[in-house]
Amino acid sequence: MPIELHYIDTGGDATPLVVVHGLLGSADNWRSHLKQWQRRHRVIAVDLRNHGRSPHVDGMGYHAMAEDLLALLDRLGVARAHLLGHSMGGKVVISLARLAPTRVASLIVADIAPLAYGHDHDSVFAALRRVEAGRPSNRREADALLAEHVEESAVRLFLATNLERDDEGILRLRIGLDEIQDDYETIMGEPAGEGAFEGPTLVLRGARSRYVTDEMLPALREVLPRAEIETLEAGHWLHAEQPKAFQSAVNAFLERVEA
């Protein structure tokens, strides 16, 4: 049963660009991009289940998350959309494109391949559990707790976007961490659906990221045969590290698709 996702909608009548965040992200992470893209497009950014302001429910399967997104499009009366997904969100939009290809005008996949990946979030989960137990009252305390397990300040800043203040003044996690960890194996797995999505596709990857290597491209093209591959001088969070180049690549691709 699909759940009602929280979303941000800039409004407009054109075919919308739907933006889907990655693991432990949210629609809020994309607000600066939305400001740029809304000059040309209607943009809808979503919070996936167990993320942001969307409900916490069991199960992080890609079929279920794609159904959540499809239900949102139905609710908003969107017949077709351009779909952009980063990391886990990329697998969600690939899943939707395979399950309901007629609803997808084009696909933009940011630094992920339609493959299963190994575990690499143990320190992140440990850091979030430390914050949960530490009950910080301000951002400085929260950062110090995160730093016990995560050295990179940029990653800590990203993780801190999942904190909100409760009625007691304590910073608490707004994500469904139990639900995410319980189904982590599924998140690391392949997207849902079978066969290939034959529509126009852009794959943006980071030159310093290991998520879309040259060795993965043959398997990627089996699922996304029309994929244009563009490499940005960035790591996995390429939209945050190279925002202007990322926006420019998306704009140019959409202009070609809509021409």
Side-chain angles (χ1 to χ4, degrees):
M1 184 76 177
I3 64 167
E4 288 197 9
L5 300 178
H6 176 267
Y7 63 94
I8 301 168
D9 187 352
T10 65
D13 299 323
T15 301
L17 171 63
V18 177
V19 181
V20 186
H21 62 80
L23 182 62
L24 304 175
S26 71
D28 289 341
N29 300 150
W30 293 84
R31 285 188 181 275
S32 62
H33 290 282
L34 267 58
K35 289 179 182 177
Q36 297 297 320
W37 286 327
Q38 72 180 10
R39 298 173 182 174
R40 308 185 187 194
H41 307 279
R42 176 186 179 185
V43 190
I44 301 167
V46 307
D47 287 338
L48 294 172
R49 55 173 57 198
N50 298 311
H51 290 76
R53 294 173 179 82
S54 285
H56 296 180
V57 294
D58 290 335
M60 291 292 294
Y62 286 108
H63 194 288
M65 288 195 282
E67 290 288 343
D68 292 344
L69 189 54
L70 193 58
L72 175 61
L73 297 182
D74 289 343
R75 200 160 78 244
L76 296 178
V78 174
R80 295 178 81 234
H82 303 289
L83 301 182
L84 186 164
H86 172 248
S87 198
M88 179 185 75
K91 290 187 178 182
V92 173
V93 298
I94 292 171
S95 300
L96 194 154
R98 294 170 100 181
L99 295 167
T102 60
R103 305 295 296 274
V104 182
S106 72
L107 198 59
I108 304 168
V109 178
D111 211 53
I112 201 73
L115 303 168
Y117 288 79
H119 292 205
D120 63 354
H121 289 86
D122 290 349
S123 62
V124 166
F125 288 141
L128 292 172
R129 290 297 184 188
R130 182 69 185 94
V131 170
E132 194 174 51
R135 294 167 54 87
S137 60
N138 58 60
R139 295 277 169 177
R140 188 177 66 253
E141 290 178 11
D143 186 67
L145 294 168
L146 290 168
E148 293 180 19
H149 295 279
V150 174
E151 182 178 341
E152 303 90 342
S153 60
V155 177
R156 297 200 306 273
L157 283 170
F158 168 70
L159 295 176
T161 64
N162 290 297
L163 295 171
E164 62 182 2
R165 195 173 299 280
D166 68 10
D167 294 339
E168 300 174 11
I170 302 299
L171 289 174
R172 297 190 183 276
L173 297 175
R174 66 179 182 177
I175 53 173
L177 187 56
D178 291 340
E179 292 83 358
I180 291 169
Q181 281 195 278
D182 286 347
D183 217 9
Y184 182 68
E185 291 284 348
T186 302
I187 296 170
M188 292 295 103
E190 298 179 3
E194 297 180 355
F197 171 68
E198 302 285 351
T201 304
L202 173 66
V203 175
L204 294 168
R205 62 177 180 170
R208 298 190 301 276
S209 171
R210 65 185 185 279
Y211 278 82
V212 187
T213 63
D214 288 345
E215 292 75 19
M216 296 175 180
L217 294 182
L220 183 150
R221 291 192 186 280
E222 288 183 10
V223 178
L224 304 172
R226 292 182 59 187
E228 304 173 27
I229 311 295
E230 189 165 339
T231 305
L232 303 183
E233 192 54 48
H236 183 54
W237 282 280
L238 62 178
H239 57 294
E241 296 176 44
Q242 294 285 352
K244 290 184 178 179
F246 189 88
Q247 291 165 11
S248 178
V250 170
N251 288 338
F253 173 72
L254 292 176
E255 285 178 8
R256 294 195 298 274
V257 169
E258 295 180 337

